[in-house]
Amino acid sequence: MRPYDIIKKKRDGYSLTKDELSAFLTAYLKNEIPDYQISAFLMAVFFKGMTKEETVSLTEVMLDAGSRIDLSDIQGHKIDKHSTGGVGDKVSLILVPLMASAGIIVPMMSGRGLGHTGGTVDKLESIPGFRTALSVSEFKEALSRIRCAMIGYSEEMSPLDKKLYALRDVTATIDSVPLITGSIMSKKLSEGIEGLVLDVKVGKGAFMKDMESARTLARSMVDIGNAFGVKTIAVITAMNEPLGMAVGNSLEVTEAIDCLKGNGPDDLMEVTLYIGALMLRVAGIEADIEEGKKRLAQLIEDGSALRKFRELIELQGGNPQIVERPSLLPYACLTIDVLSEESGYIQSMDAEAIGIVSMILGAGRERIDSEIDPAAGIILKKKTGDFVEKDELLCSLCTSDEEVAEKTRVAFLDAVKFGDSPPEKKLMIIEVIE
Amino acid sequence: MRPYDIIKKKRDGYSLTKDELSAFLTAYLKNEIPDYQISAFLMAVFFKGMTKEETVSLTEVMLDAGSRIDLSDIQGHKIDKHSTGGVGDKVSLILVPLMASAGIIVPMMSGRGLGHTGGTVDKLESIPGFRTALSVSEFKEALSRIRCAMIGYSEEMSPLDKKLYALRDVTATIDSVPLITGSIMSKKLSEGIEGLVLDVKVGKGAFMKDMESARTLARSMVDIGNAFGVKTIAVITAMNEPLGMAVGNSLEVTEAIDCLKGNGPDDLMEVTLYIGALMLRVAGIEADIEEGKKRLAQLIEDGSALRKFRELIELQGGNPQIVERPSLLPYACLTIDVLSEESGYIQSMDAEAIGIVSMILGAGRERIDSEIDPAAGIILKKKTGDFVEKDELLCSLCTSDEEVAEKTRVAFLDAVKFGDSPPEKKLMIIEVIE
């Protein structure tokens, strides 16, 4: 079948076979099909979607295009988690050492941030010396020794995803459930895991703005994971305001350390422990969520999780002393205190708007090739539901770029809405899809 | 607005402003925007369409990207016609000299054939010596002297259409009403005409397979023409079987000469005279269709139209003797008589299938860069409604390619359906939209 016919078939709403998708995308990877035919195809997929069978085929073609890590010689439950991305989402930094201290093997690969959401790799790289680009043998060595490792996706692991993602990013074809599913799941399945918990964010600061689309994406990814024999559960969690109190790379590492020391903010700990408990359930260790959360809380209380984080940092070349002295992390030369211009109960804090403020401060990338400032970001002092007096401190903005100070201060204030009475309390954990 | 935002805006179903379309497409023409962003945009247009205002803007941007011919110094009614393309559609070859003999100025620009439909320029070029690439001054000189000229679209006249069409052709984004409208109307409006009659073909052999889509396209083009101050009428005509008895370039020129001599087949003459009468109406010369047809039939009968065709050929460098001796046109070295394998009334002759047979014989192009054989094609001996005995001659296939003989014979037979009683007679002229 010619590339033209593949595009037309999808455009007209027909399903493509595994062979058709494979021939089409493999030829693209070899540069035998031009970008302009692929982008027309991607837009047709955006409008016409894919069946579950097609999404399985897509995922398999993407998986087969790269290399897979074989962890069969490492004993234990190999479970990972993945978040669709939010603002202030440092859950992985806490969970990876926490789960490893609970006996789970966590072979985590993550991405970099783009737009208003942060990426785990960027956060890790704010730790002086930390190497996110381990070789496969170093990665496996780490898993054998300390049961966890956190690295970035390498091009050889997912070359087709890399090529497709770069094209989707400039052709408005990112937000397509089958394309997101293929991208995420082909990368996660290449890790050699046996279980996966997906944190599907929903709300103002998430890619999925409403429950219907979050549910659709969660269902699609869960189905694909299970179709490949990886036990997969998704949990839909709220992303209307930033998660925790810190937004920005080194600031989030600091907050993660606080969490591992038992001093984490409620919303962040609620999400972290819930996902952790789901990982225990997926591993077959503890089916009951409340029991799982208790077990994990205990590992924080007795210091095991924090010790594991120290081991992880040390093994990956980072300075482990940051655990005791977070001030060794990069810090911004400029701190702007944002005072409230009114008094009242905070009704909402727009996570996307705050994510964009953080990006402008230097913590994120507007484009794939933008440089980031590891120390830039926001330290929140108040969150939704808090009562604030006029002139009280709402947050501190950290940056190295004096020019953005006033602009970001105004933008932050715009993102916060006040009212006379406390807003209705919203749940962080919305729905589990398994 | 960034190209990304333009794509996303259209993808999400919003209307684009003239400025947005202009900036986007003008940058594309200057190679400042890559093909892959344009093809994603074109696919989004395929799905989301365009409002009338957007289509006007698109047409204007395409028109402004090229040059327009100024015919204000030529006195008289400048009226053209355009067909959306069919099989055996040689109406322009007959109408241009006919209308010029009726006093109308016809500044016709046409395209080449692609796929199963033929192009007027290819047909003209089968006439030895005929030049379809006149300069603007030669074109205007011809219009001044004999009131008609027939040339091909030049790249400088419609550079944006050329670039967009080549991309649409390989990305399955041809069949979009606003894109077809923009392409056709920007070229026609550049001719400097004051009136236009559009022949929108509907049926098996046409791009528009059903009345609803034919009507939508006709309405869109009529609206755009009128929006630019060019009085535009569309007529929807049947294209289920080939028009007339000849399919293929020199074969169609021969048939056009027969028509101008008063020996044309009924279906072809019905369409030709009807469109001609609409051109007289658009010119304000004769509002009544039947009166117009009579007037034109008279110009065939008295030889004026044929003499005009001879003048046209001579002025554009062709050998005018072909009018008296069509055997001077190229002819194919191989003729395959296709005999009927059954007897009965012909119920249908699939125009698209027959167009493809003609293409395989060498008369058409599978791809934009294919070479064509001016002599190849099909001479039909029977048409829908005719009674045929077994072993009676259905058609003759003309080619220079021995290898396709058997394959095309079988394909032709497959395209013809028989029955025991005569089929219901269908109208050629289906609907007028003005």
Side-chain angles (χ1 to χ4, degrees):
Chain A
M1 221 173 186
R2 298 177 305 165
Y4 175 91
D5 299 315
I6 299 278
I7 302 169
K8 184 167 186 295
K9 193 171 171 185
K10 179 43 66 189
R11 183 200 82 178
D12 294 343
Y14 297 101
S15 293
L16 298 168
T17 66
K18 167 89 197 289
D19 286 349
E20 287 165 350
L21 279 168
S22 176
F24 186 61
L25 295 174
T26 308
Y28 175 53
L29 189 57
K30 292 189 214 154
N31 297 315
E32 291 165 5
I33 294 180
D35 284 333
Y36 55 77
Q37 286 189 313
I38 302 295
S39 64
F41 169 78
L42 294 170
M43 188 59 86
V45 172
F46 175 89
F47 282 104
K48 288 295 179 174
M50 280 186 164
T51 63
K52 184 182 160 185
E53 289 66 34
E54 284 180 289
T55 312
V56 168
S57 299
L58 172 69
T59 306
E60 199 165 352
V61 169
M62 292 176 77
L63 197 52
D64 290 348
S67 51
R68 283 193 218 203
I69 293 180
D70 178 6
L71 297 183
S72 58
D73 52 343
I74 296 176
Q75 296 306 305
H77 298 293
K78 295 142 222 164
I79 316 288
D80 196 11
K81 61 83 62 172
H82 177 84
S83 160
T84 58
V87 178
D89 181 1
K90 70 284 291 173
V91 169
S92 292
L93 299 180
I94 313 161
L95 260 187
V96 171
L98 177 56
M99 300 315 294
S101 72
I104 303 281
I105 291 166
V106 194
M108 182 175 280
M109 295 192 207
S110 321
R112 295 184 185 276
L114 187 61
H116 69 279
T117 66
T120 299
V121 164
D122 295 323
K123 294 171 196 179
L124 289 167
E125 289 183 350
S126 74
I127 300 171
F130 197 97
R131 291 171 54 220
T132 58
L134 301 189
S135 68
V136 171
S137 60
E138 288 173 316
F139 187 58
K140 289 181 65 172
E141 166 79 11
L143 295 175
S144 300
R145 282 178 56 186
I146 63 164
R147 287 194 296 275
C148 60
M150 300 181 82
I151 64 173
Y153 298 119
S154 70
E155 182 158 356
E156 72 198 29
M157 289 297 293
S158 49
L160 184 52
D161 178 64
K162 193 177 161 77
K163 208 168 160 174
L164 285 174
Y165 195 92
L167 192 57
R168 287 166 61 205
D169 188 44
V170 292
T171 55
T173 49
I174 292 285
D175 346 340
S176 152
V177 165
L179 298 178
I180 295 172
T181 300
S183 173
I184 291 177
M185 296 307 290
S186 67
K187 286 184 292 196
K188 286 285 138 185
L189 293 168
S190 72
E191 291 174 353
I193 48 176
E194 60 193 58
L196 178 64
V197 176
L198 297 160
D199 181 7
V200 177
K201 300 285 187 200
V202 67
K204 277 188 186 168
F207 288 113
M208 302 289 137
K209 306 289 181 200
D210 58 80
M211 270 306 286
E212 194 193 331
S213 52
R215 235 181 239 127
T216 306
L217 177 61
R219 171 51 58 208
S220 172
M221 294 196 293
V222 166
D223 284 349
I224 298 306
N226 289 323
F228 281 86
V230 171
K231 187 159 168 45
T232 306
I233 299 182
V235 56
I236 300 177
T237 66
M239 178 40 65
N240 290 305
E241 64 174 348
L243 194 58
M245 305 302 278
V247 181
N249 300 291
S250 69
L251 301 173
E252 294 190 40
V253 171
T254 304
E255 185 170 45
I257 293 167
D258 285 341
C259 293
L260 289 167
K261 287 178 178 166
N263 306 321
D266 292 347
D267 60 342
L268 176 56
M269 289 316 296
E270 189 183 347
V271 171
T272 303
L273 294 176
Y274 199 95
I275 296 172
L278 286 174
M279 291 171 80
L280 291 178
R281 179 191 283 181
V282 161
I285 291 174
E286 175 57 68
D288 187 84
I289 296 295
E290 290 311 312
E291 282 304 316
K293 284 164 71 176
K294 266 189 223 159
R295 194 189 285 223
L296 296 174
Q298 181 57 37
L299 292 165
I300 289 176
E301 208 175 306
D302 70 13
S304 313
L306 185 66
R307 277 195 300 280
K308 187 58 79 179
F309 193 39
R310 207 180 191 286
E311 283 175 37
L312 171 73
I313 294 170
E314 190 160 19
L315 198 65
Q316 294 197 221
N319 181 355
Q321 294 177 47
I322 63 138
V323 167
E324 294 86 35
R325 289 173 56 202
S327 62
L328 291 170
L329 288 165
Y331 57 91
C333 49
L334 200 66
T335 300
I336 306 134
D337 285 340
V338 180
L339 307 184
S340 181
E341 295 186 343
E342 49 195 309
S343 71
Y345 289 95
I346 298 182
Q347 305 295 308
S348 64
M349 301 183 92
D350 183 329
E352 180 167 17
I354 293 173
I356 291 170
V357 167
S358 166
M359 181 181 81
I360 297 170
L361 289 166
R365 288 181 186 82
E366 194 172 348
R367 301 169 56 103
I368 283 183
D369 53 358
S370 312
E371 286 272 330
I372 63 162
D373 174 359
I378 305 167
I379 300 168
L380 301 173
K381 301 296 180 182
K382 300 288 179 185
K383 291 197 67 179
T384 300
D386 288 346
F387 182 80
V388 183
E389 295 283 2
K390 185 167 185 299
D391 289 331
E392 206 179 344
L393 187 60
L394 279 176
C395 78
S396 298
L397 307 177
C398 310
T399 188
S400 307
D401 183 356
E402 275 183 51
E403 286 180 18
V404 300
E406 182 56 18
K407 175 175 152 191
T408 50
R409 192 187 68 84
V410 172
F412 186 89
L413 286 171
D414 276 350
V416 183
K417 298 289 169 245
F418 293 89
D420 292 335
S421 50
E424 205 183 322
K425 189 145 173 63
K426 286 185 188 154
L427 293 173
M428 290 305 295
I429 309 299
I430 301 171
E431 196 170 307
V432 172
I433 288 176
E434 56 190 319
Chain B
M1 225 175 184
R2 298 177 305 162
Y4 175 92
D5 299 315
I6 298 279
I7 302 168
K8 183 165 188 295
K9 192 171 173 185
K10 179 42 66 188
R11 184 199 82 177
D12 294 342
Y14 297 101
S15 294
L16 298 167
T17 65
K18 166 89 197 289
D19 285 349
E20 287 166 348
L21 280 168
S22 176
F24 187 60
L25 295 173
T26 308
Y28 176 53
L29 188 60
K30 290 189 215 154
N31 297 315
E32 290 165 5
I33 295 180
D35 284 334
Y36 55 77
Q37 288 188 313
I38 302 295
S39 63
F41 169 77
L42 294 170
M43 188 59 87
V45 173
F46 176 88
F47 283 103
K48 288 296 180 174
M50 280 187 164
T51 63
K52 183 182 160 185
E53 288 65 34
E54 284 179 289
T55 312
V56 168
S57 299
L58 172 69
T59 306
E60 199 165 352
V61 170
M62 294 176 76
L63 196 54
D64 289 347
S67 50
R68 285 193 215 203
I69 293 181
D70 178 4
L71 298 183
S72 58
D73 51 343
I74 296 177
Q75 296 307 305
H77 299 292
K78 295 142 221 165
I79 316 287
D80 196 11
K81 60 85 62 172
H82 178 83
S83 160
T84 59
V87 178
D89 182 2
K90 71 281 293 174
V91 169
S92 292
L93 299 181
I94 312 162
L95 260 187
V96 171
L98 177 55
M99 300 314 294
S101 72
I104 303 280
I105 291 165
V106 194
M108 182 176 279
M109 293 191 207
S110 320
R112 296 183 184 278
L114 187 61
H116 69 277
T117 65
T120 299
V121 163
D122 295 322
K123 293 170 196 181
L124 289 168
E125 288 183 351
S126 73
I127 300 171
F130 197 99
R131 292 169 55 218
T132 59
L134 302 188
S135 68
V136 171
S137 60
E138 287 172 317
F139 186 60
K140 289 181 65 172
E141 166 79 14
L143 295 176
S144 300
R145 280 177 56 187
I146 63 165
R147 285 193 299 273
C148 62
M150 299 181 84
I151 64 172
Y153 298 119
S154 70
E155 184 160 353
E156 74 197 30
M157 289 296 292
S158 49
L160 184 52
D161 178 65
K162 192 176 163 79
K163 209 169 160 175
L164 286 174
Y165 196 93
L167 192 58
R168 287 165 60 203
D169 189 43
V170 292
T171 55
T173 49
I174 291 285
D175 343 340
S176 154
V177 165
L179 297 179
I180 295 173
T181 301
S183 174
I184 291 178
M185 297 306 290
S186 67
K187 286 185 291 195
K188 286 286 141 185
L189 293 169
S190 72
E191 292 174 353
I193 48 176
E194 59 191 59
L196 177 64
V197 176
L198 297 159
D199 181 6
V200 176
K201 301 286 188 196
V202 67
K204 278 187 185 170
F207 287 112
M208 300 290 136
K209 306 291 181 199
D210 58 77
M211 270 307 287
E212 195 193 330
S213 52
R215 234 179 241 131
T216 306
L217 177 61
R219 171 52 56 207
S220 172
M221 294 196 294
V222 167
D223 284 349
I224 299 306
N226 289 323
F228 281 87
V230 171
K231 186 160 170 48
T232 306
I233 298 182
V235 55
I236 300 178
T237 68
M239 177 41 63
N240 291 303
E241 63 175 350
L243 194 58
M245 305 302 278
V247 182
N249 301 292
S250 69
L251 302 173
E252 294 191 40
V253 171
T254 304
E255 186 170 45
I257 292 168
D258 285 341
C259 292
L260 290 167
K261 286 178 178 167
N263 306 321
D266 290 347
D267 62 341
L268 176 56
M269 288 317 296
E270 190 183 345
V271 172
T272 303
L273 294 177
Y274 199 96
I275 296 172
L278 286 174
M279 291 172 81
L280 291 178
R281 180 192 284 183
V282 161
I285 291 175
E286 175 58 72
D288 186 84
I289 295 295
E290 290 312 311
E291 282 303 313
K293 282 163 73 176
K294 266 189 222 161
R295 196 189 284 219
L296 296 174
Q298 180 57 34
L299 292 165
I300 290 176
E301 210 176 303
D302 70 13
S304 313
L306 185 67
R307 278 195 299 279
K308 186 59 77 178
F309 194 39
R310 205 179 191 287
E311 282 175 37
L312 171 72
I313 295 171
E314 189 160 20
L315 197 66
Q316 293 197 225
N319 181 353
Q321 293 177 49
I322 63 139
V323 167
E324 294 87 36
R325 291 173 54 203
S327 62
L328 291 171
L329 287 165
Y331 58 92
C333 49
L334 198 67
T335 301
I336 306 134
D337 285 341
V338 180
L339 307 184
S340 181
E341 295 185 344
E342 50 194 309
S343 70
Y345 288 96
I346 298 181
Q347 304 296 307
S348 63
M349 301 183 92
D350 182 329
E352 181 166 16
I354 293 174
I356 291 171
V357 167
S358 165
M359 182 180 80
I360 296 171
L361 290 166
R365 290 182 185 81
E366 195 172 349
R367 300 170 57 102
I368 283 183
D369 53 358
S370 312
E371 284 274 328
I372 64 162
D373 173 358
I378 305 168
I379 300 168
L380 302 173
K381 300 295 180 183
K382 301 284 179 188
K383 291 198 69 177
T384 300
D386 289 345
F387 182 79
V388 183
E389 295 284 2
K390 186 169 184 298
D391 290 331
E392 206 179 344
L393 186 62
L394 280 175
C395 77
S396 298
L397 307 178
C398 310
T399 187
S400 307
D401 183 355
E402 275 183 51
E403 287 179 20
V404 302
E406 182 55 19
K407 176 174 148 192
T408 49
R409 192 186 69 84
V410 172
F412 185 90
L413 285 171
D414 276 351
V416 183
K417 298 291 168 242
F418 292 89
D420 292 334
S421 50
E424 205 183 321
K425 191 147 172 59
K426 286 186 186 152
L427 293 175
M428 291 304 295
I429 308 300
I430 302 171
E431 198 171 306
V432 172
I433 288 176
E434 56 191 317

